[in-house]
Structures are given as structure tokens and as C-alpha cells.
């Protein structure tokens, strides 16, 4: 009788073997799922950022003409997690020259990030220096304006990477202290005072003389909701190239910034100042280089933001008759997606004859 | 008694707890499987194509000698899906110069593909122009012959990318219309009439003067099974570099092609013709540049195909005494895998003294 | 009565439906797990290796100064599995010049690996030649010392890649035989005898004249636990550039090495020797180029190893008065992770005036 005691016994036995078979299946599934989650499969991340620009000027620009399309940059970001506390980051940039078909290949980052304990990490290799608002964070979808701001480019000079070791401390909640020892700037100080400031003194990729090391300290304070304060001091005993020049030229950079967000409004402000010693820098009036900017913005909708930016700087502030340069940009960002942005802004400078005035369009993205 | 009613009750209780435990395990597995399927993991695609060639000539070639190995190109394709209707595509090419150890880095594509609705997409950034059979589709495993056909290279001139905006319409089933506004060609028209046609007028990567925009319209018709018809018209008001020359040189390109597949037979045919106005182009006889090719092929087996291609072109068709150039290639493709191909062909030209005659071997792949 | 026979029957029926539901869930999970394991997702592998160095010298080095940071190389490894027996491998290297911001882009590998049967594979394209200990395996975490050994760099000359076809046989367990036909070295033999040996004769990426092919045979023997023996012979009928020189210069390379590991001790030894014929090579005493090194090491702990390396070489061994160059390195590797290494070594040479003496620090990784 199937429904009697014997029937029940038989049914129980069938179920028992079914449950055992299911357990085997479950274990096999769990096993292959675990195998899939092996670190090798997911530990490598391929990222990217890039931007294409259109610039139009009121007056012919000697380098890029009256109007120009510019496939500005394409950047491959390759990172890897070796262990919970051991990561690698790299950034290979392909940068389009403004008026030629040449591409400049740059290696901006190539470093190991080794977390010694929850409050201390070491970065070893080639890394971005901890200074300013833009140097470490310049994906097109995170800032306003088609072109990066001229103050950080010409004064700091961003994007700025060097080789060495950086210790990153988290001494308290919302406080971060970075201390880096790295190869320094190097160039002929007789070339100071030009429009590009210290840009050519960066010893970018490849070999970098370690003759005079640079020391960089940055403190970041983020304990107040919506507010980031940061300040950097950098010191180098001599930026003059010992191979070609003898004038001893110590250099000190002071930089401070604030990034303040209240509801949909945001204000970013930055000041940077170089003091460079030595006879040549003094003679050129380039012993002081300084600049700053103020950038209020308003996120009108979740996808649209408008901004204004007032920039003022001087790469030879002590030279007689050297006026500050000034530039204003006003425009908007439209985020098609949080990581994809279309931009437009108009630009006005204090250069004679309307030079540099015009408008810019841009499309950019990161992932 | 284990087999009595109490025993059955105990057994039932054991099974009940087993089933409950299995359910917990099942839910945990399903959870971690779901986590694995998070979009971030699969939204980025890394692709590639590349090819290595061997060329042997009857007569010494001034640039590459009598025989030459050539690691022709290695191309990294990085794309990303931000959303169902928002994609990014990029192509970084490392191209080997024919007789040197230099590598040319090129950024061929860098654009956002934004689907506004099922019938309309916008491409914004730097993209391949919609013209010809080869310009947008040149992975080695999709075409016959070791080297790309000379007509599209010298007349169109492929591979051709520019910066701008392209609208892609699908007005009806099997009909595609692309309309692009982009930076135009630019060069000194005094250099027209050479063997390379307009190749040097392309403003490849980096900055591109936007002085005179190009407008490109392509219609593609695919309503008949196995048949693709396409035609492109492009117009630019002036290809002469305003910075160095004054002669006004409007240019118009007409291109039409057919790709017809019947069973294992295929026929590809293409015609392209430039009309260039202006005094200099006329004086050089380069006011007309034109060419075409015919390529029958037969897929003998699933892995092996044979082809012949007859090419005829002229980069200064109105110059007195300027004969058309002609080139015939006959050869085969052997697909080791649908995406991996080995190729061989022999080549014969109408150049004096057997120049350019010889054979080519190649290996290529894409993924 | 819930605990009576009817209760048991009801309980059994409930369990039965639970088990059936679980089975459905299990099948669904197994299905989606299987889908995830589709080859397309996992067939492409993105790898990388890179290293950053610091070199300090007792005497000023003309190229890199007294001390130097060097972002030496960043290498992207892209590979793909088309089928179990069909793989693709590529290696794009961005190499930093020692004293400039220039980056050299190199394509070191670009080949298809096609397994014909378990004992025979074909490599087609551009590949690393099978010679020495370092040429095919030079990720920073697999060798001792910050810089690669000078014998393989200057005599072999590694890293050495060419274009062609290589057959890889496995005739017996632990025996591997590689036979490659590839484009050969090419240069003006009047330039032989310099410090860099045949390095400039490599026809790296791009086009390579195939005028005189190279033939390389390597036998590797690994039947004794912990011991690898290898020997390579290479022959080329003429390394002199036919386009610029007429002196016929056949060249033969013999190389042999051992890598012997006993417990935590390891000994690596290598000898390499070139015989170059022709009047010019003889006149320069560069008809013989040779070198070797001996490298004992001890893995003190799982993460720390120490080593010494004695190198001796001569790029013009038959030139009158040309003394052998010698270099000793002693140092340690510290593996933060099996794939991430920090290195330090001191270096001493027999060059006059302590030139080349100094110490090196390095950080490197691969994945």
C-alpha cells in the first residue's frame, strides 16, 4: 500500500536520495562559483578617459588658427589588486598636439599603493604630486569648462607627476596628510619668466636627474560636510640644472584651496605662489610667480550645471611692468550620463586686441 | 523502533532541516551569482586587431627593398557601455613604418555613440567617415588580400577619420543614412597630383583647423538579401590651407559601391571620383582624381577563399600624358578561425620595368 | 492528527514540493553560471609589467648624471584565446629614455600560437627569439638585480624579437626544441666593435629587410628536477646591409645556459659567443664577441632573496688591446607579493676611475 507505513518509508527514502543529489549539485555549483571569483579574473581593471574639443577665437591664434578641432587626449588607466592592501595604478596618455598630427605618449602614473596599516599607505614609483584641485583629479566629467584652468597649468604646474615615495597618513577622521620625497624640477633658470612658468622644468617620463630632491607636504581637511580645505608646501634646494648652470636657485611653493558645496551651489577657490631664489630668477623678476582663481557654479538640474571662473596669474610677478594676466570663463556642463559630459563656455582675457577671446565646445568621458 | 511511526517522524524532521539548510545555501549562491553579473564588470570591452606582412618584389623597392617583413599594425579597441543607448568607442593604433624601427601612434576613433531614439543616433568626437567599403571595416579577417586595396587608400583616402558630429538615421528597414559635419581636408594645393592623392591633406590626430568644414552624406541600401549598395557625397568649400595659400579650392567627392553575395560567390565593386576646383588644381591636372576596383571572390570551403582584384586609378586624371595606374592581385585567404586569417597573393602592376610586381604573405586577426 | 499517519503524509507532500522547487532553482543557477563561463567573457586577458628605478653613481655618468630616477618601462600584454589550440599574444612597451621626457613605443610581440598537435605548435608573426635566460622572461619580479644583466643585453642582444615563423616541438617529456626562421640582423659592419655590440643591428618594429634570413635553433632540457639546461645556435648568411655596404658578413651565435635550483639555493650561468666573418669585422677585431655571467642566489625567506652576479664580456674580443669588461652586482630582492618586488643592489665595474660604480634601487611588478 503506497499510502501506508511502507509507502511512507519508500517515499522518505526517495526524498533522502533526492536531497543528497541536490547537495552534491549545490556543492559543485558553489565550487565553480568560487573558482570564478578567483582574484585573477576580476583583479585587473581597465579604465579610460578622453576628450575632444572645438575652440573658436575672435582673433587668429598663431598656433591653432581661428577655429580648431582637437582630439585632446585619450588615456588608458590600468590597475590591479594584488591583495586587499596592495594595489597598482598606471595611466598611459596619448595626447594630441594642437596643430599637428603628432601624438605625444606620456606615462603619467606608474606606482604601487601599499597599505601598511589603516592609517598609513606608501606609494612607490611615479605618481601625481598632491597639490591643487586638478592635479590628481582631471577627468573631463568632474570639472567645469572645456579647457582646464590656466592657473593650475601655468603656476603649479599641473598635470605634475614625479618619481619617488609618498607616505599617505590618515591621522584622524576627515584629515589626510601626504608627504612625498621625489625627483625635483630641473631646468636653466635663465629661461624663467616666460608664459609657461615652470612647465618645462618638470622632468616628465623617462629619466629624471635626482640631483636635488623635492619634498612635498599636503594637508587635507574634510571634517565639515560639503567642505574640502587643502594646503601644500613644497621645497627644493635647487631647481637650476647643475649640468648647464651654476646659479643656486632654491624654490618653495605654497598652495591653498577650498571646495565648498552647499545644496546645488559650489564654490572653488585656489591660490598658489612660488618663491625662487638665486641671482638669475631675481634679475628676471621671476623670483615670484603666483596666481589664483575663483569658480562659483550651480547645478541647475541633475544633469545641467552652469559656472563662472575668474583666473588671475603672473609668471614673473616681480618683473618691472609685468602685468597680471586675467581670464574669465562662463559656461555650462550637460551630463548625458554621470560619466559623459558635453560642455560649452565663452572665454575673455585681458590680452591686447581681444587675443584669446572666443568660445569652446567639448565632449568628454571617463570609466 | 526506527522504522516505526516515531522513526518516520524523526526522519521527516531530519529531512526538513536538510531542506532548509539547502535553501539557505541556494539563496546565498543566487546572491553571489547576481553580484557577479553587475554591469560594471562587463560594460568595458577590450578588443584588438593586428597584422604582420611579408612582401617580396621582382624589382628593388626604394623604400622597403626586395623583400620585407612588416609588423604592420597593432590596434587596441577600447569600448564601454554607459547605458543601453550610450556607448563609447576608441581605437589606438600602433603602426610600423615600412623601413624603420619607428612606430607611429594614431588615435583613429574616439567618440560617443548616443542613441536618441531607435531611428536616430548621434556620434560625437573623432570618427571614421562613412565612405567606401574599407574605411569603417578594415580588420584583416574581413577582407581579401594581404594589403588593403590601393583605390580606397589613394583616392578616398582611407583610412580617413575626422572630428565633428555625425547623425545616423534608419529611415526604413534596410536603409541607413549618415550625415556628418566635420573638420575638412587641408593642405597646400600646389602639392596635388602626387602618387598619394589627398592623403597628406587629412588632418589626422591632434589639432585640426576648422577653417572650412566638410559635409559628408552616405546612403546605404540593404533590402535585398546578400546585396549592399552604398553611395557617399562629400563637399568642402575650400581644401587649400588659408595660412599658406590663397587659391580657393572647393572639393567634391562622389563614391559608390556594391557588395553582392550569392551562395559562395561574392562581387565587390567601387568607384570614387574627386572634383577639385581652383587655378592650381586645374593647372596640375589634379582637378579630377578617380579610381575604381572590381573584386570577385569564391569561398571554396568554409575556411578557404580565393579572390582576384583589378584596381585602376589616377590622382591627376586631367594632367596631359598622365596614364591611369593599374594593379591586379590574385590570391587566397585561409581562415584558421573566423577571426584569424593567413593570406597570400601575387601582385602585378602596369608600372614600367615590373616595379611593384611580386607576392605578399600575411597573418592577421581581430577580437 | 498532525503527528499521525495523515500528518506524515501531508508533511511528506510538502517536502516533495519543496525539493522540486529547489531543483528548479538549482537548474536555473547552473544555467546562468554556465552562461557566465562563455568563452567571450574570459577569452581576452589584459596583463602588464613595469618598473621604476633609482640609479646612483660614484662618478658622474655622461648620460644620466650622478643620480637618476627612471620610469623605465610600462608594458601592456594583451592576449586572446580563440580556441583551445589557437592563441594570440601581444606586448606593447612604453619605454622611458634615460635622460629625456621622450617615450619610445615598441611592439615586442605580435603573434599567433597555433597548436597543431600536443607535440607541435607554430608561432606566426613577431616573437621573441628563443635564446638565453632573459630574452623571453624579463618581468621584474622573476629576476634578481634592478637592471638586467649586461651580457645578455650587449652580446645576445636581448630583448630581441623578429618576424617570421617558429616551430615549437616537444619531442619527449622535459625536452623542448624550437626552430625559427625570421628576418635577420642588418647594419653597416663598419660600425661593429662599439660598446653596444649588435644591438643596433636588430630590425625592431616596423619594416625589416628580409634580404638575409636568420635561422635559430634552441634545445631546452628540463628532465632533472630543479635544473634547466638550454642551448641556442643561430646562423645568418650576411648581417651587412646590402643597400649601403658590400662586404659579405656571415654571423653565427652560440649560446648555452644552466639554471639550477637546490632547495633555497639557485645558480644561473650563461655563455654566449658570436663569430662574424668578412673583412671589416676582422679588421675591427669584432669577428669575435663573447661574454658570460654567473649568478648564485639564496632565498633567505619566502619573501627575501640575496644574490651576486659576476659578468664578463667583450664586443671586440679580437681587437688588439681590447680588454674584457667586467661588472659585479650584489644585492637583494624583497617580494611584497609574489608579483611585486622591491630591489636593491650595489654595482662595481672594471672601468677606469670607478665609472659605473654605484648602487641601484628598483620597484617592479607584473600581472
Amino acid at each position: 500500500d503506497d499510502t501506508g507505513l511502507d509507502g511512507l518509508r519508500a517515499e522518505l527514502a526517495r526524498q533522502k536520495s533526492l536531497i543528497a543529489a541536490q547537495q552534491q549539485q549545490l556543492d559543485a555549483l558553489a565550487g565553480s562559483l568560487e573558482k570564478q571569483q578567483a582574484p585573477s579574473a576580476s583583479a585587473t581593471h581597465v579604465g579610460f578617459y578622453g576628450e575632444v574639443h572645438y575652440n573658436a577665437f575672435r582673433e587668429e591664434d598663431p598656433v591653432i588658427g581661428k577655429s580648431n578641432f582637437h582630439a585632446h587626449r585619450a588615456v588608458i588607466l590600468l590597475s590591479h589588486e594584488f591583495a586587499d592592501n596592495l594595489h597598482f595604478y598606471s595611466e598611459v596618455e596619448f595626447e594630441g598636439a594642437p596643430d599637428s598630427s603628432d601624438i605625444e605618449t606620456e606615462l603619467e602614473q606608474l606606482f604601487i599603493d601599499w597599505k601598511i596599516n589603516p592609517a598609513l599607505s606608501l606609494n612607490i614609483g611615479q605618481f601625481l604630486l598632491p597639490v591643487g584641485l586638478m592635479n590628481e583629479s582631471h577627468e573631463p566629467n568632474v570639472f567645469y569648462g572645456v579647457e582646464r584652468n590656466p592657473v593650475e597649468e601655468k603656476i603649479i604646474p599641473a598635470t605634475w607627476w614625479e618619481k619617488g615615495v609618498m607616505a599617505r597618513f590618515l591621522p584622524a577622521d576627515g584629515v589626510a596628510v601626504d608627504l612625498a620625497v621625489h625627483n625635483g624640477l630641473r631646468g636653466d633658470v635663465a629661461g624663467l619668466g616666460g608664459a609657461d612658468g615652470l612647465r618645462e622644468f618638470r622632468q616628465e617620463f623617462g629619466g629624471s636627474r635626482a640631483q636635488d630632491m623635492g619634498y612635498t607636504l599636503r594637508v587635507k581637511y574634510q571634517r565639515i560636510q560639503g567642505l574640502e580645505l587643502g594646503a601644500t608646501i613644497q621645497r627644493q634646494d635647487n631647481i637650476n640644472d647643475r649640468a648647464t648652470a651654476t646659479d643656486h636657485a632654491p624654490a618653495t611653493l605654497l598652495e591653498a584651496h577650498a571646495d565648498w558645496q552647499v545644496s546645488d551651489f559650489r564654490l572653488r577657490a585656489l591660490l598658489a605662489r612660488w618663491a625662487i631664489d638665486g641671482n638669475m630668477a631675481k634679475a628676471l623678476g621671476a623670483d615670484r610667480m603666483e596666481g589664483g582663481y575663483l569658480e562659483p557654479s550651480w547645478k541647475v538640474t541633475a544633469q545641467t550645471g552652469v559656472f563662472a571662473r575668474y583666473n588671475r596669474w603672473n609668471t614673473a610677478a616681480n618683473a618691472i611692468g609685468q602685468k597680471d594676466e586675467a581670464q574669465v570663463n562662463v559656461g555650462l556642463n550637460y551630463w548625458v550620463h554621470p560619466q559623459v559630459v558635453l560642455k560649452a563656455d565663452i572665454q575673455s582675457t585681458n590680452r591686447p586686441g581681444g587675443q584669446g577671446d572666443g568660445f569652446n565646445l567639448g565632449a568628454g568621458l571617463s570609466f
Side-chain angles (χ1 to χ4, degrees), chain A:
Chain A
D1 180 356
D2 248 22
T3 59
L5 215 53
D6 284 349
L8 282 182
R9 280 191 198 104
E11 176 64 21
L12 262 180
R14 272 196 296 279
Q15 290 200 358
K16 197 174 177 180
S17 70
L18 277 178
I19 291 172
Q22 284 191 342
Q23 191 60 45
Q24 279 189 345
Q25 231 182 316
L26 265 171
D27 293 347
L29 272 183
S32 54
L33 196 57
E34 204 167 334
K35 239 188 275 165
Q36 280 203 353
Q37 292 166 332
S40 71
S42 60
T44 299
H45 179 75
V46 180
F48 183 92
Y49 72 88
E51 46 191 336
V52 176
H53 297 167
Y54 174 82
N55 309 112
F57 296 107
R58 193 136 67 104
E59 301 300 319
E60 182 98 9
D61 179 279
V63 181
I64 63 176
K66 270 213 80 152
S67 58
N68 201 288
F69 280 103
H70 192 189
H72 205 130
R73 50 176 61 86
V75 181
I76 296 176
L77 305 159
L78 204 55
S79 61
H80 188 79
E81 177 175 340
F82 289 103
D84 282 354
N85 71 335
L86 189 64
H87 291 76
F88 165 72
Y89 297 95
S90 76
E91 182 176 342
V92 182
E93 174 157 347
F94 304 103
E95 189 163 347
D99 193 34
S100 92
S101 69
D102 283 354
I103 291 189
E104 195 181 354
T105 302
E106 288 177 342
L107 214 141
E108 298 209 351
Q109 300 184 60
L110 181 72
F111 69 92
I112 303 159
D113 181 10
W114 182 15
K115 185 170 277 188
I116 307 294
N117 64 50
L120 172 63
S121 299
L122 287 182
N123 291 2
I124 303 171
Q126 178 166 291
F127 46 79
L128 298 169
L129 291 185
V131 57
L133 280 160
M134 181 184 92
N135 198 55
E136 296 158 292
S137 171
H138 42 243
E139 295 79 9
N141 54 312
V142 302
F143 66 89
Y144 279 101
V146 174
E147 306 292 344
R148 297 174 180 177
N149 78 79
V151 172
E152 295 193 69
E153 282 198 342
K154 287 163 198 291
I155 302 298
I156 281 186
T159 309
W160 190 6
W161 60 86
E162 300 294 358
K163 299 156 201 91
V165 177
M166 174 157 57
R168 320 198 79 161
F169 304 95
L170 299 170
D173 231 46
V175 181
V177 177
D178 299 319
L179 178 62
V181 182
H182 50 84
N183 68 280
L185 298 167
R186 182 172 66 105
D188 185 344
V189 289
L192 284 179
D196 277 343
L198 288 163
R199 284 189 81 76
E200 294 307 313
F201 280 63
R202 296 173 305 178
Q203 303 186 67
E204 297 192 327
F205 184 80
S208 304
R209 299 284 174 113
Q211 54 169 23
D212 295 288
M213 305 288 281
Y215 301 88
T216 302
L217 174 71
R218 195 253 312 266
V219 179
K220 215 153 87 173
Y221 181 89
Q222 289 176 293
R223 299 190 72 151
I224 296 160
Q225 171 74 22
L227 178 68
E228 178 193 315
L229 298 173
T232 293
I233 178 165
Q234 187 189 95
R235 172 73 189 177
Q236 187 180 342
D237 190 46
N238 184 11
I239 62 168
N240 209 355
D241 184 356
R242 292 178 187 271
T244 59
T246 56
D247 184 28
H248 193 77
T252 305
L253 167 67
L254 292 174
E255 182 272 341
H257 64 257
D259 187 347
W260 192 21
Q261 200 158 352
V262 178
S263 167
D264 298 326
F265 296 91
R266 188 173 190 174
L267 182 69
R268 296 179 119 198
L270 179 143
L271 284 170
R273 177 171 182 169
W274 278 99
I276 301 173
D277 218 335
N279 298 328
M280 184 59 88
K282 279 200 184 100
L284 294 165
D287 49 335
R288 197 150 56 89
M289 293 198 271
E290 58 192 10
Y293 68 85
L294 208 64
E295 182 194 286
S297 63
W298 174 34
K299 202 91 183 277
V300 184
T301 72
Q303 290 191 277
T304 309
V306 295
F307 81 104
R309 193 194 301 126
Y310 176 73
N311 307 278
R312 190 168 192 98
W313 72 97
N314 199 323
T315 57
N318 284 342
I320 292 159
Q322 176 90 5
K323 273 186 18 183
D324 283 4
E325 292 200 68
Q327 179 180 312
V328 177
N329 292 72
V330 177
L332 63 83
N333 279 14
Y334 176 72
W335 282 273
V336 182
H337 176 276
Q339 293 161 270
V340 181
V341 68
L342 303 177
K343 299 178 177 185
D345 62 71
I346 57 174
Q347 179 171 313
S348 172
T349 75
N350 69 344
R351 286 196 262 161
Q355 266 198 327
D357 292 5
F359 70 91
N360 307 302
L361 303 174
L365 65 118
S366 78
F367 58 82

